Amino acid sequence: MINEEIFKTMTIKLEKEDIPNYIPKMDPKYRRAPKRVVHLEKDDIELALKNALRYIPEEYHEKLAPEFLHELMEHGRIYGYRFRPEGRIYGKPIDEYKGNCVEGKAIQVMIENNLDFEIALYPYELVTYGETGQVCQNWMQYRLIKKYLQHLKQDQTLVVASGHPTGLFRSKATAPRCIMTNALMIGEFDDYNNWARAAAIGVANYGQMTAGGWMYIGPQGIVHGTYSTILNAARLFCGVPKDGNLAGKLFVTSGLGGMSGAQGKATVIAKGVGIIAEVDRSRIQTRLDQGWVDEIAESPKAAFEIANEKQEKKLPYAIAFHGNIVDLLEYADENNIHIDLLSDQTSCHAVYDGGYCPVGMTFEERTALLGEDREKFNELVNETLKKHYAVIKRLTSKGVYFFDYGNSFLKALYDVGIKEISKNGRDDKGGFIYPSYVEDILGPELFDYGYGPFRWVCLSGKKEDLLKTDKAALDLVDPNRRYQDRDNYIWIRDADKNGLVVGTQARIFYQDAESRTKIALSFNKMVRDGEIGPVMLGRDHHDVSGTDSPFRETSNIKDGSNIMADMATQCFAGNAARGMSMIALHNGGGVGIGKSINGGFGMVLDGSKRVDEILAQAMPWDVMGGVARRAWARNPHSIETAMLYNKNNKGTDHITIPYIANEEFIKKLVKEGI
């Protein structure tokens, strides 16, 4: 095979005009990813270069190969910086994109929203959030994906494997327009070290959840879940009534990144006072500029003094503490300051990649040490994890309610050797002595009923379209059905006032299967009637059916199937079969490689009857497949929900529901039998 002949056989490819003559300038005010450190053998380095050059016509290899080698040695990855378009990338109105179908244009909006300077954690390295969650591996892939989406027709499907656009394949109008997967490692190699090598040589992409699934909507995407979590935690563990809020209560946590940045805003919406520790001044400044925190405190003393003043007046307030969470908690312990709710949302799934900062070290020192002495950095991380656990242990003995916020914090503690946190005293399969927020709060109170992070993006880019969809959704919610619906009604009623949009005109709104379907069909009719422009419908992968993760999304699955990934895979396949526009399946999520499988979707509402038919089939499946699994695990609220679903969908759908064995009888039998 001659490269010249290969070039001629492809009509969709990187051509001369796609290869800039210079490397675009990078604005120093935007964060850059730390060096990704992995041991590569000589043949691995050669492989990485050959893999990157696969995208480039041969005539440019001699020029670009040394550049790629420099990137690999300097940054630990080949990003292809030369191929990044200069200036700002952002989700523009859909009509500004080239394409042969509305889905091809809509997906471009979503990709570029993920890379917006206002949204992305490390925009030059294509990292949207979570320290390592990338849209794709490099800028060559980005350019080629864009080209494919511009060519995509409504009878074709684009296949993307770990950021690589495999190609377009004929399908039909009711099939997905894009199917993507990320980092689906073979079992024997499904661990961090093998993934790190695979990422470095250019064959694996860490999609996180909605980063590589192209459905991130900025920090708003997790605000509603955070709001529901802390609100229900206060009701369950702090004596707050079902119709009450966090007025006068204190929530202490850490992290102000892409996911954790929601914590201050959610606390204020729930009427509480929050202190959020963050070592990176730039992240704090971003949240302050966006109005997601109200004030910066430079010392633990100042943070708690401000919090106390606001608590006494029952004024909602979010304080960013510029410093390490361990210092903040040790101050609270030494001074007997009462904290109502305590958690952590640093990126502990990437604990040794910069997701967690050692105590006594500035963010800048942390970044330097990451690149200079990884062994020393890891040692300091381990010491800090142990200190962090020790102070949490002291605080919880004083009555503080601590929960793991699904960031792999407790798993990191267990892996560093703190075996006493094992719930069953043997291993980590049964979870930990401190509960996951899904285990005790979000799972039983929301997921088991089918409530989850339904979301939409108004592709026109018009705020008036978003306000119209807010109103339509509000009209379809009955606040008197359940307390969850009352909370959700208040949420969507006040959504615009709370200033949640960062990036595209988008909204998140926790709803169950019935309501999601009604709202989706209502929106599609609004598009059909010309009231609004096209809409991209989706959800976080962090949902009822989308993710199998024993330390997070499925931590309240108690039948032993929490270690299985059948649900997420079936959800992905079922959404493909029913014709969702864009579907994704990833390894890792927010808890790390080998610790979860998660999937999501995007559905373009173009007003057609074809879309109505897809919605009527796919929306109930996307939720109720997970409710069915939860019901089979004997979760009481899921059993109630499944029974009602069987009654209301007789003749079309049917869920298998378990019979319940007598607990005492089983225990007695086993005790006597062994």
Side-chain angles (χ1 to χ4, degrees):
M1 291 184 294
I2 300 170
N3 282 331
E4 186 178 344
E5 293 176 2
I6 291 171
F7 184 86
K8 289 176 182 177
T9 63
M10 293 191 294
T11 55
I12 305 172
K13 58 197 171 189
L14 297 185
E15 303 201 53
K16 186 174 182 179
E17 62 267 25
D18 299 305
I19 304 172
N21 291 322
Y22 60 93
I23 300 174
K25 292 179 182 177
M26 300 181 192
D27 192 327
K29 74 179 180 181
Y30 295 111
R31 286 179 294 269
R32 300 295 304 280
K35 181 178 181 180
R36 309 303 189 186
V37 178
V38 59
H39 175 72
L40 295 178
E41 301 290 350
K42 181 174 173 287
D43 55 345
D44 289 330
I45 296 170
E46 292 171 357
L47 199 54
L49 291 172
K50 289 189 287 185
N51 288 345
L53 290 169
R54 287 185 288 192
Y55 294 101
I56 315 296
E58 184 181 8
E59 62 186 289
Y60 301 100
H61 285 194
E62 191 172 332
K63 177 181 180 179
L64 294 181
E67 194 173 293
F68 288 167
L69 177 61
H70 174 76
E71 287 183 14
L72 184 61
M73 296 297 99
E74 184 75 14
H75 302 284
R77 297 284 189 277
I78 296 173
Y79 294 113
Y81 291 119
R82 176 183 294 272
F83 292 85
R84 185 193 184 278
E86 193 154 27
R88 183 187 171 203
I89 296 172
Y90 64 99
K92 298 180 285 292
I94 189 170
D95 291 340
E96 295 185 24
Y97 289 89
K98 297 177 183 176
N100 292 317
C101 64
V102 66
E103 291 93 343
K105 296 178 183 179
I107 295 169
Q108 291 178 71
V109 176
M110 302 310 300
I111 289 173
E112 300 205 331
N113 186 62
N114 273 21
L115 294 170
D116 191 331
F117 283 145
E118 295 300 309
I119 286 177
L121 174 62
Y122 303 129
Y124 291 114
E125 287 74 38
L126 301 113
V127 175
T128 303
Y129 64 85
E131 202 59 39
T132 52
Q134 291 182 249
V135 167
C136 51
Q137 296 177 53
N138 56 57
W139 291 104
M140 294 86 78
Q141 290 179 346
Y142 162 83
R143 284 192 179 244
L144 194 53
I145 288 167
K146 286 261 295 180
K147 280 178 171 277
Y148 270 110
L149 290 171
Q150 289 165 3
H151 280 80
L152 179 68
K153 297 175 184 175
Q154 209 157 30
D155 60 355
Q156 294 176 313
T157 295
L158 171 63
V159 178
V160 180
S162 269
H164 167 63
T166 301
L168 288 181
F169 297 88
R170 77 194 86 167
S171 55
K172 53 186 178 179
T174 53
R177 298 283 70 78
C178 181
I179 296 178
M180 69 189 90
T181 54
N182 280 296
L184 295 182
M185 314 286 290
I186 297 295
E188 185 175 350
F189 305 97
D190 194 8
D191 57 55
Y192 175 83
N193 289 334
N194 277 298
W195 168 79
R197 173 186 173 272
I201 65 173
V203 296
N205 184 58
Y206 195 78
Q208 258 285 357
M209 302 187 99
T210 51
W214 307 338
M215 275 303 300
Y216 188 56
I217 59 168
Q220 179 189 177
I222 200 66
V223 178
H224 196 169
T226 307
Y227 159 82
S228 295
T229 297
I230 59 178
L231 197 57
N232 285 296
R235 291 165 176 171
L236 291 165
F237 306 108
C238 300
V240 172
K242 283 282 187 187
D243 59 352
N245 55 40
L246 262 67
K249 301 293 183 186
L250 177 61
F251 173 45
V252 174
T253 182
S254 59
L256 283 171
M259 293 286 101
S260 52
Q263 296 181 114
K265 174 71 81 172
T267 304
V268 169
I269 295 172
K271 310 299 183 190
V273 176
I275 303 176
I276 307 97
E278 172 60 66
V279 293
D280 183 350
R281 165 69 75 167
S282 71
R283 295 192 198 190
I284 293 175
Q285 193 62 49
T286 297
R287 299 306 171 214
L288 187 68
D289 293 344
Q290 292 169 344
W292 288 52
V293 296
D294 298 301
E295 187 172 348
I296 302 173
E298 297 291 346
S299 70
K301 184 175 185 289
F304 284 114
E305 284 177 351
I306 298 166
N308 184 59
E309 177 195 338
K310 303 301 179 184
Q311 283 178 265
E312 287 181 353
K313 296 177 181 177
K314 295 195 173 179
L315 294 175
Y317 210 67
I319 304 144
F321 164 60
H322 182 214
N324 198 293
I325 182 65
V326 176
D327 290 329
L328 187 73
L329 297 185
E330 288 183 340
Y331 181 89
D333 177 44
E334 290 162 8
N335 291 274
N336 291 313
I337 296 170
H338 179 66
I339 297 168
D340 295 288
L341 298 173
L342 174 61
S343 191
D344 180 81
Q345 211 172 21
T346 52
S347 296
C348 287
H349 69 280
V351 70
Y352 302 115
D353 275 342
Y356 185 84
C357 183
V359 72
M361 179 174 285
T362 66
F363 180 73
E364 292 71 25
E365 289 168 342
R366 155 268 196 196
T367 304
L369 191 61
L370 263 171
E372 295 165 3
D373 190 343
R374 185 57 67 99
E375 189 175 332
K376 179 65 174 176
F377 178 81
N378 292 356
E379 182 185 314
L380 293 175
V381 164
N382 292 344
E383 289 175 9
T384 301
L385 284 168
K386 291 172 182 176
K387 283 186 178 181
H388 199 161
Y389 170 66
V391 71
I392 287 171
K393 194 174 176 183
R394 295 196 298 274
L395 288 169
T396 54
S397 71
K398 297 177 182 179
V400 174
Y401 178 74
F402 173 80
F403 59 96
D404 182 292
Y405 219 155
N407 62 335
S408 215
F409 173 66
L410 291 181
K411 184 67 168 70
L413 295 180
Y414 183 83
D415 290 344
V416 87
I418 305 173
K419 304 304 183 187
E420 67 182 70
I421 63 169
S422 165
K423 185 182 284 187
N424 62 23
R426 300 187 307 272
D427 51 40
D428 56 5
K429 293 185 180 65
F432 305 110
I433 57 174
Y434 295 119
S436 156
Y437 73 116
V438 176
E439 190 173 3
D440 271 19
I441 307 164
L442 215 59
E445 299 301 311
L446 291 167
F447 285 178
D448 286 355
Y449 289 98
Y451 291 98
F454 179 64
R455 55 173 62 168
W456 62 91
V457 173
C458 294
L459 295 165
S460 66
K462 296 176 182 177
K463 183 175 181 179
E464 55 263 39
D465 280 9
L466 183 61
L467 295 178
K468 288 175 185 176
T469 58
D470 284 349
K471 175 66 166 56
L474 182 69
D475 291 344
L476 290 168
V477 175
D478 177 6
N480 299 312
R481 184 173 64 147
R482 296 188 186 113
Y483 80 86
Q484 293 96 332
D485 293 297
R486 184 179 63 252
D487 290 344
N488 292 335
Y489 183 90
I490 292 168
W491 167 269
I492 198 69
R493 182 195 69 194
D494 297 342
D496 181 56
K497 180 180 74 177
N498 287 324
L500 299 165
V501 173
V502 178
T504 55
Q505 294 295 321
R507 187 68 74 222
I508 185 165
F509 187 29
Y510 269 57
Q511 286 294 284
D512 66 355
E514 181 182 348
S515 293
R516 294 191 212 194
T517 307
K518 286 180 180 176
I519 293 170
L521 289 167
S522 171
F523 288 176
N524 198 46
K525 185 177 186 301
M526 291 169 73
V527 177
R528 182 160 55 244
D529 295 344
E531 295 179 48
I532 58 174
V535 171
M536 174 70 96
L537 206 67
R539 57 163 171 76
D540 194 349
H541 304 192
H542 168 269
D543 198 4
V544 181
S545 303
T547 298
D548 284 299
S549 179
F551 305 117
R552 194 161 82 174
E553 283 80 3
T554 47
S555 59
N556 74 319
I557 299 289
K558 302 295 186 182
D559 68 343
S561 69
N562 59 335
I563 63 170
M564 306 301 292
D566 293 326
M567 179 181 72
T569 309
Q570 291 281 6
C571 185
F572 169 82
N575 283 338
R578 290 165 177 83
M580 290 291 199
S581 306
M582 178 175 76
I583 56 170
L585 191 69
H586 312 315
N587 179 7
V591 293
I593 284 292
K595 299 181 179 71
S596 93
I597 296 292
N598 68 86
F601 74 83
M603 181 68 207
V604 179
L605 308 187
D606 62 4
S608 66
K609 291 291 185 180
R610 169 185 64 87
V611 166
D612 278 349
E613 292 172 8
I614 293 171
L615 293 172
Q617 296 173 22
M619 294 305 294
W621 155 254
D622 187 65
V623 178
M624 294 308 298
V627 172
R629 188 268 184 93
R630 291 168 184 278
W632 193 242
R634 296 182 289 272
N635 292 10
H637 296 317
S638 288
I639 290 175
E640 297 163 20
T641 305
M643 290 169 68
L644 182 62
Y645 189 79
N646 279 357
K647 180 181 176 183
N648 292 341
N649 294 274
K650 196 170 184 179
T652 58
D653 299 17
H654 189 274
I655 292 171
T656 306
I657 303 172
Y659 299 107
I660 310 299
N662 182 287
E663 189 90 12
E664 294 306 314
F665 167 72
I666 295 296
K667 285 182 177 179
K668 183 181 177 184
L669 180 66
V670 171
K671 184 179 179 180
E672 292 174 353
I674 60 175

